[in-house]
Amino acid sequence: MESLGVLLTFPMNSYLEEELSRRCKLFRLWEPPTPESRRDFLRENAGSIRALVGNTTVGADAETIDLLPGLEIVASFSVGLDKVDLAKCREKGIRVANTPDVLTEDVADLAIGLAVSTMRRICESDRYVRAGKWESHGDYKLTTKFSGKAVGILGLGRIGSAIAKRAEAFGCPISYHSRSRKPDTGYKYYSNAVDLAANCQVLVVACPLTEATRRIISREVIDALGPKGVLINIGRGPHVDEPELAKALVEGRLGGAGLDVFAHEPRVPEGLCALENVVLLPHVGSGTWETEKAMADLVLGNLEAHVLNKPLLTPVV
Ligand code: DGY
């Protein structure tokens, strides 16, 4: 792959970066001072760049693709492809690959972890102890049980199904809303997000971000979930109407939220940091040593397959 010019759009896993700079001709592009200097960088190096490795922060948008006429493949260091203009890639014959499967378990583990920590107020209790407020045994707040609670899952794909399996082990009845109905699962299906929210206590967002799912967590869904309900989002920030979510949490119209993703990362919606009934994480669903190494190996394998003119390991386009 030595002659393959690869554009890395953002700082990612250090193993991936080291391997890319060892095996290919690497172009690093991140935190450019201005959009114009970013364009200049792309124009300057366009003749050499044939591959792009992006992630959930900076992918391959229409402008980047247009500025790189020699681009042949986008290998995303993510399963979600909402930062890749797939239609443009199709139109231009650019191959696209992502990193499915290898991160499913970690993201599902984190969804359950978020549900348990939000309901059992684990982070709040940790802050209480660290602040030296724990004076005697029993001076804690009572919290809410997770085991046995009705769990609703938005998006019953690979990650949604893995969350369902884990929640089943906690004795939780499962229901879902998804693009397609999955009768073999035995889980209860709802044809829309509002009905799903009205019939569960923990609502987990696990669907891909598309025009159909953007802001699917609307005020109506939040109100259907109600003051005893908890929202868990390991999907994407723009799935949620964030100002409505913040308002509902402040007003007590929603019981709590565990969020790994936000619409304008790394910015968190105003007001959330002051609340005790939320757990906020910096988009770490797949962030374990083991999984990031597997994701990096998939990116490298896809680039290698492309250079050898072989089928991609995890093709999308
Ligand atoms: C992905 O890879 O799309 C996930 O957002 C990682 O958490």
Side-chain angles (χ1 to χ4, degrees):
M1 297 209 282
E2 304 88 57
S3 63
L4 185 71
V6 179
L7 173 71
L8 193 61
T9 63
F10 202 77
M12 290 174 215
N13 176 279
S14 54
Y15 161 75
L16 174 62
E17 200 184 321
E18 275 157 32
E19 286 302 305
L20 285 174
S21 56
R22 197 172 64 76
R23 299 193 207 178
C24 324
K25 190 164 170 357
L26 185 60
F27 296 84
R28 293 182 181 83
L29 169 59
W30 52 80
E31 295 180 42
T34 64
E36 196 42 55
S37 68
R38 179 180 191 277
R39 284 185 207 112
D40 289 345
F41 178 90
L42 293 176
R43 280 191 203 105
E44 249 166 60
N45 296 294
S48 312
I49 295 171
R50 289 167 51 210
L52 181 151
V53 174
N55 67 357
T56 56
T57 308
V58 187
D61 59 8
E63 183 186 75
T64 304
I65 295 170
D66 281 337
L67 287 168
L68 298 174
L71 191 61
E72 297 164 10
I73 177 168
V74 171
S76 191
F77 183 69
S78 69
V79 67
L81 287 163
D82 46 292
K83 291 280 165 68
V84 177
D85 192 325
L86 291 176
K88 188 128 214 151
C89 289
R90 276 192 196 99
E91 178 196 312
K92 299 217 166 198
I94 297 167
R95 301 169 98 184
V96 178
N98 64 346
T99 59
D101 299 317
V102 293
L103 48 65
T104 299
E105 291 180 343
D106 276 351
V107 180
D109 290 352
L110 195 83
I112 298 296
L114 267 175
V116 175
S117 32
T118 305
M119 296 170 79
R120 298 302 312 274
R121 303 281 185 116
I122 291 177
C123 302
E124 183 186 349
S125 296
D126 175 86
R127 288 191 288 270
Y128 179 78
V129 172
R130 284 170 198 257
K133 292 182 182 167
W134 188 29
E135 283 171 359
S136 67
H137 183 71
D139 63 350
Y140 50 77
K141 250 192 225 167
L142 290 180
T143 59
T144 305
K145 188 179 175 105
F146 171 68
S147 286
K149 291 290 169 8
V151 170
I153 300 178
L154 255 181
L156 204 65
R158 283 178 282 243
I159 293 174
S161 304
I163 295 168
K165 278 211 185 77
R166 284 157 174 73
E168 273 189 288
F170 282 80
C172 302
I174 309 294
S175 53
Y176 70 102
H177 166 65
S178 208
R179 237 177 349 181
S180 56
R181 219 176 159 135
K182 319 232 159 136
D184 297 350
T185 59
Y187 306 145
K188 187 160 175 46
Y189 170 78
Y190 289 97
S191 61
N192 62 73
V194 177
D195 289 345
L196 177 68
N199 287 285
C200 68
Q201 186 166 350
V202 183
L203 180 62
V204 187
V205 182
C207 50
L209 179 65
T210 63
E211 278 323 300
T213 62
R214 193 173 289 275
R215 293 214 167 194
I216 192 165
I217 306 298
S218 59
R219 175 170 181 146
E220 214 187 342
V221 169
I222 292 167
D223 284 343
L225 197 51
K228 291 201 164 153
V230 169
L231 177 74
I232 302 300
N233 191 4
I234 48 82
R236 287 291 184 264
H239 281 128
V240 178
D241 184 334
E242 288 185 334
E244 280 300 337
L245 174 69
K247 228 163 44 177
L249 287 163
V250 169
E251 291 169 6
R253 286 186 288 110
L254 182 67
L259 310 169
D260 184 41
V261 287
F262 302 90
H264 305 286
E265 293 170 6
R267 273 197 347 258
V268 171
E270 209 170 320
L272 289 195
C273 289
L275 299 178
E276 292 290 11
N277 54 346
V278 296
V279 175
L280 309 169
L281 301 181
H283 200 152
V284 290
S286 57
T288 64
W289 294 108
E290 297 87 341
T291 291
E292 285 215 353
K293 162 85 169 51
M295 290 167 71
D297 283 334
L298 260 186
V299 169
L300 295 163
N302 278 311
L303 293 178
E304 221 156 66
H306 175 70
V307 167
L308 298 173
N309 214 8
K310 286 190 176 164
L312 300 181
L313 306 181
T314 48
V316 177
V317 172

